[in-house]
Amino acid sequence: MEVAEEAETETRALKPCLLRRNHSREQHGVAASCLEELRSKACDILAIDKSLAPVTLVLAEDGTIVDDDDYFLCLPSNTKFVALASNEKWAYSNSDGGTAWISQESFDVDETDSGGGLKWKNVARQLKEDLSSIILLSEEDLQVLIDVPCSDLAQELCQSCGTVQGLQNTLQQVLDQREEARQSKQLLELYLQALEKEGSVLSKQQESDAGFSDKMDAVDAGSNRKSSSGITLASQVLTALKEKPAPELSLSSRDLELVTKEDPKALAVALNWGLKKTETVQQACHQELSLRLQQVQSLRSLRSVSARRSSLPGEPREPKRARQEPT
């Protein structure tokens, strides 16, 4: 059994990645099959002292902590990572290679004001690396690619306009499916609310939940007011949680993971919600993230099976054409 597991580990595909230290512009290309292997290589290549372990790996673009192997496998090739020692905190580096370091919040503002053109190209390159990452995109990213002129997107992806038009149609379908799911959840919530008003069995549970939420709100307001400062979520994520119905459908998989890792009490204070509602939303985010990762893994499994069943290398097959009637 152990021999089989070792053989499986050896044959696991390697993912090319780019590594650098915090506050450094020097990057190193490495390949790893899992996070543990990437951490080990980071310590060796970047000369991180073992006394500064454990090493934390974050995405260079926004500081997202990557500590889940399934999420690591869903990232595109050549993703940029920053290796942080135990005494370090991530800081964003200007793309021009300068020495100015700014906070993540100000970076979000700059990206909104002047980085719109760069944003769609970054998302497009992610799709170019792995088309299944469509599932992991936020609704905002999906809409960005839909709004890009077909010719510009075709040039970025090195594809024909016809192929890119089909891709944009697929993106629109994914967006429509999430909206349909949101509307279905809203209808279900309205139906449950109607049952509660009619004095159904759910009314007792609703009263209990309301009383518990009021007590938690009072405790949070009096003793946990400072905990909102510990929230690491970006402002646009908090806005989506507050304003969007079924917010888990609007967020990217990276944001979903961050929401699930937040302390429920601190998040409840930041959103001005009761603890019960906050935990319910976090659970919905966790379920949506699990579903997307499962879909990505299924697509990749199907792709692998399809590749094994394809014909041996040789002359390319001519596409089948419909027989024409003699003139």
Side-chain angles (χ1 to χ4, degrees):
M1 185 68 177
E2 294 180 356
V3 175
E5 292 178 353
E6 292 177 0
E8 181 180 355
T9 302
E10 292 177 356
T11 58
R12 187 180 298 173
L14 294 174
K15 180 187 292 292
C17 306
L18 295 174
L19 278 174
R20 69 171 173 85
R21 289 295 300 272
N22 206 19
H23 302 287
S24 172
R25 295 169 55 187
E26 183 177 321
Q27 295 186 140
H28 298 266
V30 299
S33 59
C34 62
L35 279 174
E36 188 60 35
E37 183 179 0
L38 187 58
R39 290 193 189 97
S40 176
K41 290 188 175 182
C43 290
D44 295 338
I45 295 175
L46 302 177
I48 300 177
D49 194 283
K50 292 184 178 180
S51 63
L52 299 178
V55 171
T56 301
L57 295 174
V58 303
L59 297 180
E61 62 180 8
D62 62 3
T64 296
I65 297 175
V66 181
D67 55 6
D68 179 79
D69 270 316
D70 288 336
Y71 184 72
F72 170 72
L73 294 175
C74 293
L75 294 172
S77 299
N78 295 315
T79 294
K80 295 181 180 180
F81 291 90
V82 176
L84 301 176
S86 59
N87 62 342
E88 294 179 333
K89 291 185 178 182
W90 174 81
Y92 172 74
S93 172
N94 275 342
S95 59
D96 61 4
T99 57
W101 302 89
I102 56 177
S103 68
Q104 178 63 26
E105 184 175 354
S106 62
F107 168 63
D108 290 337
V109 174
D110 292 342
E111 184 183 64
T112 303
D113 294 340
S114 60
L118 180 62
K119 181 174 183 179
W120 77 260
K121 289 186 178 181
N122 289 335
V123 179
R125 289 167 190 156
Q126 184 177 346
L127 287 188
K128 190 176 182 180
E129 290 286 346
D130 185 1
L131 194 60
S132 62
S133 61
I134 289 176
I135 299 172
L136 306 177
L137 297 179
S138 67
E139 288 185 331
E140 180 183 357
D141 289 341
L142 290 170
Q143 191 63 57
V144 164
L145 289 182
I146 292 171
D147 294 338
V148 174
C150 182
S151 57
D152 293 347
L153 187 56
Q155 182 178 2
E156 183 67 31
L157 297 177
C158 301
Q159 298 288 339
S160 66
C161 284
T163 301
V164 170
Q165 185 61 59
L167 172 62
Q168 288 182 312
N169 291 339
T170 300
L171 296 173
Q172 185 63 58
Q173 290 175 6
V174 174
L175 202 57
D176 293 342
Q177 288 171 358
R178 293 192 187 179
E179 181 60 30
E180 290 174 1
R182 178 183 291 107
Q183 292 178 2
S184 297
K185 288 188 175 183
Q186 286 181 285
L187 288 174
L188 179 59
E189 290 176 358
L190 290 174
Y191 175 70
L192 293 177
Q193 290 175 6
L195 289 180
E196 292 169 1
K197 290 181 179 180
E198 292 174 0
S200 67
V201 292
L202 295 178
S203 60
K204 293 183 180 180
Q205 180 181 356
Q206 176 67 18
E207 292 173 1
S208 175
D209 291 344
F212 179 75
S213 296
D214 291 339
K215 291 179 181 179
M216 289 307 303
D217 285 340
V219 173
D220 289 342
S223 60
N224 291 335
R225 188 173 303 276
K226 294 184 180 179
S227 63
S228 60
S229 60
I231 293 294
T232 60
L233 297 177
S235 57
Q236 62 266 30
V237 176
L238 292 174
T239 300
L241 290 174
K242 288 181 180 180
E243 300 178 357
K244 292 278 188 179
E248 68 275 8
L249 300 175
S250 302
L251 301 176
S252 67
S253 297
R254 184 184 307 151
D255 292 334
L256 290 174
E257 183 180 15
L258 292 175
V259 171
T260 59
K261 290 182 177 180
E262 286 291 351
D263 177 67
K265 292 183 179 179
L267 185 58
V269 173
L271 296 172
N272 197 24
W273 284 356
L275 183 62
K276 185 69 175 179
K277 181 178 180 180
T278 303
E279 291 177 338
T280 300
V281 170
Q282 285 185 301
Q283 180 64 27
C285 289
H286 175 73
Q287 292 175 351
E288 178 67 18
L289 177 61
S290 299
L291 176 61
R292 293 188 194 179
L293 293 178
Q294 183 179 5
Q295 290 173 338
V296 169
Q297 292 295 339
S298 298
L299 284 175
R300 290 181 175 172
S301 298
L302 290 173
R303 185 185 305 163
S304 177
V305 171
S306 177
R308 290 198 297 267
R309 291 182 178 178
S310 62
S311 59
L312 295 175
E315 294 184 358
R317 296 182 177 180
E318 290 292 332
K320 294 183 178 181
R321 301 179 182 274
R323 182 176 299 176
Q324 297 182 351
E325 292 292 337
T327 56

